[in-house]
Amino acid sequence: MSVITIHRVPPLPMPPRRLLGAYLMEARSECLRYFRMPGFLLPVTLFPTMFYLLFGIVMNRQSGAETARYLLASYGVFGVMSPGLFGFGVSLAMERENGLLTLKRALPAPPGAYLLGKMAMAMLASGTVMALLLALAVGVAHVQLGVLQMLLFLLMGMLGVLPFCALGMLVGTLVKGQGAPGVINIIYLPMSFLSGLWMPLSTLPSVLQQIAPIWPSTHLRELALKTVGMGQSPAWPHLLVLAAYGVGFFLLASRRLHRVG
């Protein structure tokens, strides 16, 4: 009786032009899918802008433009965290549970296109939030910002979402779809408060001030303050910490994702 051995033939390498097109197509489809979902788009864009309009402009009208400038940076970071945590963590957990992730792996798509598509979606959503906040700050609160400052603020938001994408990815590999929104909120809301996004760190108890640097949102807040002309510490330590968080979360999530599927 002869034994038939089946060897798996590796896929042929894709030409660079087609490979780039595949990545762009995945990113485009992912962005269109989420931007056609009001249940995702409206909370992500409206919550930070409504909070900034109410607490940063209306209720602090007597405080002047400097308070509005400070809260622009704080609520900007608050808005940046949401697309990364919810757009990545909740969707990944649900797509793992309903089998969409398994289907994606079976398709002839380049490796990593699925994750890069979600990153592109989160970056675009963050850029939208930053643009809306800038429009309120400059047009309504009369915050004086130069063109370079506004561009740096937008860039900070679009790149600053990546560590939270990695954190959301890690959460999405650890919990099931139904429990993911609750777990993300347990991370999102306390981290926002403890890193001084809702009120200055100086008003918090000294214990909370001392542990604030352990949160990635604290370092992104310092970068946001620097882009609007209020940061005093150098940018590079915060950039290094955010990069370390992003790489660390991503490696842990990738290892977990390969294990659980």
Side-chain angles (χ1 to χ4, degrees), residues 8 21 42 46 65 95 103 141 147 154 195 208 221 241-242:
R8 184 178 180 182
L42 292 180
L46 290 183
E95 288 163 9
L103 175 62
V147 175
L154 284 172
S195 54
L208 298 182
R221 180 182 66 91
V241 171
L242 288 171

Side-chain angles (χ1 to χ4, degrees), residues 18 65 83 100 130 237 240 248 255:
R18 291 187 59 190
L100 180 60
M130 296 292 99
L240 289 178
R255 183 176 180 181

Side-chain angles (χ1 to χ4, degrees), residues 152-169:
L152 287 175
F153 187 74
L154 284 172
L155 182 64
M156 177 277 304
M158 296 182 71
L159 295 180
V161 73
L162 296 179
F164 299 99
C165 287
L167 176 57
M169 180 180 170

